[in-house]
Amino acid sequence: KIDRVTRMLKSWLADPTKGKLCIFAHHLDVLDEISRGAGLSNASGSTTKYIRIDGSTNPRARQEQILRFQTNPSVRIAILGITAAGVAVTLTASSTVWFAELFWTPAIMMQAEDRCHRIGQQARVRCLYFIGRGTLDEVLWRLIENKFRDLGEFVEGKVSFLLYIGLMKCTVGE
């Protein structure tokens, strides 16, 4: 799955018209592999500049990273820990969110999505969830879909959330 995310990220970076992208994952190793595999670099003159916020990012650095992503057009990628950057962060400079890993609580993923759905967002926000075929992802995805359905029925009185989330799934082959 990381290979697929990395290939898609390289393609994203090759097209400057695509804008900015937020990538969430839960494990530090996954964040590391995506950064390394895509050749992300903040070296002078790099065309693959990025920010990273994970559990080790102190509050001051966190705020500096957010400001850099929001204001610097050359910083196009945000590599984010789903629990570390999923709340109290505004990333409206991006209208695209990828989830390289799922989290077992849909509310956590919705909170992460909402980092781009903030006041000031002018574009439609698109979210993509990567699901590894034949992996625990498939089991977890079904549980998450059920939780979304239950949430939709409870909050909205209908199954609108299920239709919404079903459009965002990207199944990754064996």
Side-chain angles (χ1 to χ4, degrees), residues 8-84:
M8 288 178 65
L9 177 53
K10 286 179 179 179
S11 176
W12 182 280
L13 288 165
D15 183 354
T17 66
K18 292 221 178 198
K20 296 188 179 215
L21 170 66
C22 295
I23 302 174
F24 284 96
H26 181 60
H27 294 95
L28 295 176
D29 290 347
V30 173
L31 297 172
D32 293 342
E33 284 299 314
I34 292 169
S35 300
R36 190 173 21 261
L40 299 181
S41 169
N42 286 318
S44 179
S46 172
T47 59
T48 60
K49 293 190 179 193
Y50 72 107
I51 66 162
R52 177 168 171 161
I53 298 173
D54 61 38
S56 68
T57 309
N58 70 48
R60 183 176 177 184
R62 174 185 168 110
Q63 200 53 46
E64 289 169 359
Q65 297 268 22
I66 293 165
L67 183 62
R68 198 165 140 241
F69 184 76
Q70 289 289 94
T71 61
N72 186 335
S74 69
V75 178
R76 295 182 51 212
I77 307 299
I79 302 293
L80 307 162
I82 196 166
T83 53

Side-chain angles (χ1 to χ4, degrees), residues 41-138:
S41 169
N42 286 318
S44 179
S46 172
T47 59
T48 60
K49 293 190 179 193
Y50 72 107
I51 66 162
R52 177 168 171 161
I53 298 173
D54 61 38
S56 68
T57 309
N58 70 48
R60 183 176 177 184
R62 174 185 168 110
Q63 200 53 46
E64 289 169 359
Q65 297 268 22
I66 293 165
L67 183 62
R68 198 165 140 241
F69 184 76
Q70 289 289 94
T71 61
N72 186 335
S74 69
V75 178
R76 295 182 51 212
I77 307 299
I79 302 293
L80 307 162
I82 196 166
T83 53
V87 294
V89 173
T90 297
L91 299 168
T92 54
S94 172
S95 62
T96 306
V97 179
W98 292 356
F99 286 89
E101 288 185 289
L102 300 177
F103 200 79
W104 48 88
T105 308
I108 299 295
M109 291 189 304
M110 289 175 68
Q111 279 292 320
E113 283 183 21
D114 286 348
R115 300 312 90 214
C116 294
H117 282 286
R118 310 295 290 168
I119 294 173
Q121 178 58 269
Q122 301 298 314
R124 179 176 164 201
V125 176
R126 304 190 85 130
C127 300
L128 181 66
Y129 289 80
F130 289 84
I131 312 298
R133 185 172 291 142
T135 69
L136 185 58
D137 284 352
E138 289 183 319

Side-chain angles (χ1 to χ4, degrees), residues 144-167:
I144 290 166
E145 280 182 317
N146 288 337
K147 289 180 182 181
F148 270 114
R149 184 184 313 107
D150 292 345
L151 180 61
E153 289 172 358
F154 179 74
V155 175
E156 301 289 330
K158 55 188 172 207
V159 189
S160 61
F161 278 119
L162 182 60
L163 296 174
Y164 166 73
I165 192 133
L167 298 173

